[in-house]
Every structure is written in structure tokens, then in C-alpha cells.
Amino acid sequence: TISGNVTVVKTTNGEVTKTEIMSLTGTVKDRFFNSTLIPVDKKRVGIITLLLEVIGDGSRMRGSTSWYDANSANIIAKKSEWVRK
């Protein structure tokens, strides 16, 4: 089990549009990372789920991210890539 806080940074055309600290819990099994993130700020409503494949030396993960968009009242899923810095 993996747990901790992460800073999620949303960008559009290379510009940072939103930054939020979220609590992460997840697991790694057979090079796949599965996790759930919830906002640390209890006033915020939201959840993010990840299913990512660990690539190469582990500095990159690629897969799918899903989240609830309160503005449109929809669950959205998109391809994503996470990079360790």
C-alpha cells in the first residue's frame, strides 16, 4: 500500500491553471499502479482514480485518469502520463 499527499497541477497549453493538494492511497502490482486521490481540503468535493502502467525505470507512468467534474456534473476519463521529478 502506498499513501501520502501529492500536489496535482493542471495545465492548459503549458500554463498552470490549477494546483491542489490531494491525499493518495494506492497499490502497485505487476507494474500497474492503481490509486484514489481525494482533496485534503474537506470543503472540496471530488475524487480522482488512476490506473497507470509503470514504464522502464519507474520514472514515468502512463494510463488513464478519471475524475468527477463538478462544473459539468460528469465523470471524465482521459489518457495521462505522470513523470517523477
Side-chain angles (χ1 to χ4, degrees):
T1 301
I2 298 169
S3 63
N5 289 339
V6 296
T7 302
V8 176
V9 179
K10 181 180 178 184
T11 62
T12 302
N13 298 324
E15 298 291 323
V16 175
T17 58
K18 185 177 181 180
T19 302
E20 185 166 10
I21 298 172
M22 304 193 80
S23 174
L24 175 146
T25 58
T27 58
V28 176
K29 181 169 178 19
D30 299 330
R31 85 175 187 281
F32 292 99
F33 176 63
N34 178 23
S35 71
T36 302
L37 294 89
I38 57 172
V40 170
D41 181 353
K42 300 298 182 196
K43 296 176 188 171
R44 299 264 305 138
V45 174
I47 189 167
I48 298 173
T49 61
L50 306 168
L51 178 58
L52 305 171
E53 180 181 13
V54 177
I55 305 296
D57 66 357
S59 63
R60 291 184 182 279
M61 297 185 293
R62 289 188 198 125
S64 181
T65 302
S66 302
W67 67 93
Y68 178 73
D69 181 1
N71 292 329
S72 66
N74 285 310
I75 295 172
I76 299 171
K78 291 196 175 185
K79 291 182 182 180
S80 63
E81 182 170 341
W82 289 52
V83 179
R84 179 178 48 204
K85 295 193 177 199

